Amino acid sequence: MRRVLLTGIALLMAGGAALADPIEGRWKTKSGNTAEIVPCGGQYCITLKTGEHAGKQIGKFKPESNGQYTGTVTDPANDKTYSGKGSLSGNSFKMGGCVLGGLICRNETWSRM
């Protein structure tokens, strides 16, 4: 009975890992720094792990559908926050922020580490 219980627990733990959203993990940014994306309150928080602004949270995204995300992006240099979008394709995450209702946007593509 104990072996069955331990096997069941192991399967539940493995299943939980399989349910992780593909956006989660560490990413190499355009500038060569490392950013980490983790779940936080029903969305995904992006925090810089290396570089001049290490430790700063630079975004929050929520999943929409089929690898698409919406939320906010914060420029770590001036702490201004913009509306943001992201899309996941394989090991690439294209994200960007816009002002003036999407008239002016800046995008970056990150790669999974």
Side-chain angles (χ1 to χ4, degrees), residues 29-107:
T29 68
K30 182 179 176 182
S31 63
N33 292 319
T34 299
E36 185 172 39
I37 302 177
V38 298
C40 65
Q43 14 185 20
Y44 294 95
C45 291
I46 306 169
T47 304
L48 288 173
K49 293 300 192 178
T50 62
E52 179 182 355
H53 303 288
K56 278 194 173 184
Q57 183 175 307
I58 60 166
K60 284 188 179 183
F61 283 98
K62 62 181 179 181
E64 294 298 322
S65 65
N66 297 331
Q68 302 297 311
Y69 298 84
T70 59
T72 59
V73 177
T74 301
D75 183 336
N78 62 20
D79 289 326
K80 289 187 179 180
T81 301
Y82 307 95
S83 63
K85 286 196 250 182
S87 63
L88 185 65
S89 177
N91 288 323
S92 294
F93 182 56
K94 182 178 179 180
M95 62 174 285
C98 299
V99 294
L100 299 174
L103 222 63
I104 302 172
C105 299
R106 192 174 94 197
N107 297 301

